[in-house]
Amino acid sequence: MKFTYFLNAFLATLAIASPITNAPNEETGLATRNDEEVRTDNYKAVFAAHPDLQKDKYYYFTIKNSLPDKVRDGDTETLTELQQLQQRLGFDHIGVLVGQVTETTRTKPAGKKKPGKKTTTKDFRGFYIHMTKGKDSKTAQHTSVWSDRGAESNQKIEYVGTTTKKGEDKAKAEAKSYVEEHKTYDIENNNCNSFAQAILAVLR
């Protein structure tokens, strides 16, 4: 008798501590839904720099690269120039990342034996804006859909602030205007950091 009492008590405690997520609902007879959150690589990268991300909001960051680094978008800077930038600025290249946090939800209905499932995917859809030294020392701006390069290069993403869709559009426009007004690359006065600061100014 005592053994049966303690056994029942133990089983009751175990059921409370470890509920079965796909057990049938008593009212509907359907299995309980098992929800899932998926984070893309882009989202993970910006989340590491700024954990307080909110759905539909726009954010902007800087991406700083350090030697050894890969040549990007036809950059013609010499190793000596990159080393000078690294020594003076603490990085050999900088660009601006601006974009929006998105969330999409897909729901799979429950069946008699299989649980329903709601999958929410969190993403960061952004544009990477930066300037390189082109042919004959001409400045060249690049605005492209961003995809996290992660371990492919020595890069650091740093949070700067929040903005809007209008701010994102202004940053893209400023990138074009800047190279039209500053056509010649100069390691001292018109480098990737000069360009990045101009972009950041319209986002602030």
Side-chain angles (χ1 to χ4, degrees):
M1 186 69 177
K2 289 184 178 180
F3 174 76
T4 303
Y5 172 80
F6 286 118
L7 178 60
N8 290 338
F10 170 74
L11 292 175
T13 303
L14 183 62
I16 294 172
S18 304
I20 301 173
T21 57
N22 61 348
N25 183 286
E26 293 182 0
E27 296 182 1
T28 65
L30 301 178
T32 304
R33 188 166 65 194
N34 184 19
D35 295 347
E36 179 184 15
E37 179 181 286
V38 177
R39 297 183 176 188
T40 66
D41 289 341
N42 281 7
Y43 184 90
K44 291 176 184 177
V46 295
F47 180 85
H50 184 61
D52 189 24
L53 297 175
Q54 297 180 36
K55 177 184 175 182
D56 296 332
K57 282 200 171 184
Y58 284 80
Y59 299 87
Y60 62 104
F61 306 78
T62 57
I63 298 182
K64 298 176 181 178
N65 297 82
S66 300
L67 291 172
D69 195 14
K70 292 183 178 181
V71 175
R72 63 185 69 75
D73 292 330
D75 188 16
T76 62
E77 287 174 297
T78 64
L79 178 59
T80 299
E81 288 175 323
L82 293 174
Q83 290 172 335
Q84 289 176 355
L85 289 172
Q86 178 82 44
Q87 184 175 9
R88 182 151 53 91
L89 302 173
F91 48 83
D92 70 44
H93 192 75
I94 183 174
V96 177
L97 171 64
V98 55
Q100 182 186 31
V101 172
T102 65
E103 289 186 18
T104 56
T105 300
R106 181 170 56 87
T107 301
K108 182 179 180 180
K112 288 290 185 179
K113 296 182 178 180
K114 293 184 179 180
K117 188 174 184 179
K118 182 174 73 173
T119 302
T120 300
T121 302
K122 294 186 176 183
D123 193 12
F124 182 79
R125 299 177 182 177
F127 291 89
Y128 179 53
I129 306 171
H130 70 124
M131 187 184 81
T132 61
K133 177 183 178 182
K135 186 178 179 181
D136 299 325
S137 294
K138 299 297 182 182
T139 54
Q141 72 87 18
H142 310 273
T143 300
S144 58
V145 175
W146 178 67
S147 180
D148 178 46
R149 294 172 62 191
E152 292 184 11
S153 63
N154 297 328
Q155 70 173 20
K156 183 177 182 181
I157 300 176
E158 296 180 348
Y159 170 71
V160 183
T162 59
T163 186
T164 61
K165 178 64 170 65
K166 183 177 180 180
E168 180 184 79
D169 292 340
K170 287 174 64 178
K172 294 177 185 178
E174 175 62 22
K176 295 178 181 179
S177 297
Y178 183 92
V179 293
E180 290 176 358
E181 297 172 4
H182 305 80
K183 296 183 178 181
T184 303
Y185 180 91
D186 183 270
I187 188 68
E188 296 290 339
N189 302 309
N190 189 31
N191 53 44
C192 58
N193 188 51
S194 310
F195 174 85
Q197 296 309 314
I199 302 301
L200 292 173
V202 302
L203 286 168
R204 290 192 174 99

